[in-house]
């Protein structure tokens, strides 16, 4: 059971760190933050690099947001 929670926590941390990095980079070149969030989703999603492993729980939070 701990493996599920560890994977979920790792996925959240990957999304958070990548979005912060992209937001800071795009802020410096004056591109809106919405573009940074979209790029984060494209990069970590299943059609990008596939960095997210627990799609069901991430999908729940995506719909909630």
């Amino acid at each position: 059971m701990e493996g599920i929670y560890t994977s979920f926590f790792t996925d959240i941390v990957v999304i958070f760190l990548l979005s912060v990095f992209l937001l800071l980079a795009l802020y410096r070149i004056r591109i809106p933050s919405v573009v940074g969030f979209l790029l984060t989703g494209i990069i970590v999603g299943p059609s990008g690099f596939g960095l997210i492993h627990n799609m069901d729980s991430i999908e729940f939070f995506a719909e909630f947001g």
Side-chain angles (χ1 to χ4, degrees):
M1 197 68 151
E2 290 179 20
I4 294 171
Y5 296 119
T6 305
S7 172
F8 174 71
F9 181 70
T10 305
D11 292 345
I12 293 294
V13 169
V14 166
I15 292 171
F16 180 73
L17 290 177
L18 185 63
S19 64
V20 167
F21 173 74
L22 281 174
L23 288 175
L24 289 174
L26 293 176
Y27 176 77
R28 293 187 54 83
I29 56 176
R30 298 184 188 268
I31 294 178
S33 60
V34 172
V35 175
F37 291 126
L38 289 173
L39 285 175
T40 301
I42 291 169
I43 291 171
V44 301
S47 60
F49 290 118
L51 300 174
I52 302 301
H53 303 290
N54 193 357
M55 290 300 294
D56 294 331
S57 59
I58 299 298
E59 221 173 82
F60 170 74
F61 283 110
E63 291 177 10
F64 183 73

